[in-house]
Amino acid sequence: MSVQSVNVQSGSYNPQVTGIDKKKAEDLILMLPDQVVYKLAEDQARKQIKDKSKRVMLGFGLGAIPLVYGLTGAIGARGKNLAEVFSAQSGGLVNRFINSTCQELKGPAAKFVAGAGVTAKIGGAIAIGLGAIGLVRGLFNIGKKGKEFSQQHPGTVFLAEMAALFAGTAFIPKALGGMFANMKPEKIAKMASKITKWGENFNGKNFVKSVQNLWHGTLAKSPNWLKKTGKFGVAIAPPLFIAGIIIGSIRHSMKYSKAFAENVNVIRKEQERILEERQKTANPSEVQAA
């Protein structure tokens, strides 16, 4: 006999599937501990809202965001000094590092570092945010009371997750940037020298030159309206992409919380029904009086 004998969605049991009689099935339902009730409700909620496919899509979207922003950063860095693009005043680790060590980079190497820097900034922020949200969810799921609070107050839990996300993405990069700023100047100068040599070698590679010539040739042949449309599309693609992911994630969380609460309620009502039925069976005089 196992907890899988209980049908969470319908609040019933099937003797042909479980191979046990009605009384044993009802005893099983009545004896379910809270942890098992929540686990059954969670498993059923994931099936109802296709949680696995949603996680895959969300993971793919979050992984693509840094790359989209990185492409935008690489295109936008054309003809600019990296020290201007990555201002040290922001306090972040990536900005401080590139501002201090990549000022001498030119051409394709500068564009590559600009794209990589933006990708690292966005990717790091996403990783920190996901870590902060995971920490909050873990805290709310500790013990019976935490699960009950999450079930009854999904809005409060969501606000706590958002607060942790903004706090983490605001303070952790600056803290890491402060640690980099405290490094000895000679170490930073040594890193800058190595990066400058790397940039010169990178720009001299035949593959890089071929890609650069192909890119410039394509731009030269493209009409002006296509160039303007392309720049506009690249500029608005990241925010539109993020907005779609956020809206989808919020809707998914709301559906999941609702399904979880409904599934817990189904089991509780089934337990109440069994108890009421047994009480009436044990006291038939009450039934006749009614």
Side-chain angles (χ1 to χ4, degrees), residues 11-73:
S12 62
Y13 96 108
N14 185 341
Q16 295 180 349
V17 175
T18 62
I20 58 177
D21 59 32
K22 181 179 180 182
K23 185 178 183 304
K24 288 183 178 180
E26 290 178 345
D27 289 341
L28 174 63
I29 295 174
L30 290 175
M31 291 186 298
L32 287 176
D34 291 334
Q35 293 86 347
V36 175
V37 171
Y38 294 138
K39 184 65 170 61
L40 288 169
E42 289 173 357
D43 292 343
Q44 187 63 30
R46 291 192 181 98
K47 294 178 183 178
Q48 290 169 328
I49 62 171
K50 298 180 180 179
D51 188 66
K52 185 176 181 180
S53 61
K54 289 288 184 179
R55 289 200 305 269
V56 172
M57 292 179 63
L58 182 61
F60 175 79
L62 292 176
I65 286 176
L67 298 178
V68 173
Y69 267 103
L71 177 61
T72 304

Side-chain angles (χ1 to χ4, degrees), residues 2 79 117 156 169 172 179 196 200 265:
S2 65
T156 303
T169 53
I172 292 179
M179 293 174 62
T196 300
E200 293 173 354
N265 190 45

Side-chain angles (χ1 to χ4, degrees), residues 167-184:
T169 53
F171 295 113
I172 292 179
K174 288 186 177 181
L176 295 175
M179 293 174 62
F180 177 82
N182 292 328
M183 290 182 62
K184 294 181 180 181

Side-chain angles (χ1 to χ4, degrees), residues 254-272:
M254 293 176 65
K255 288 181 179 180
Y256 177 83
S257 298
K258 182 180 179 182
F260 172 77
E262 289 176 349
N263 292 335
V264 171
N265 190 45
V266 165
I267 298 175
R268 298 302 189 202
K269 285 186 176 181
E270 181 66 7
Q271 290 174 330
E272 292 174 1

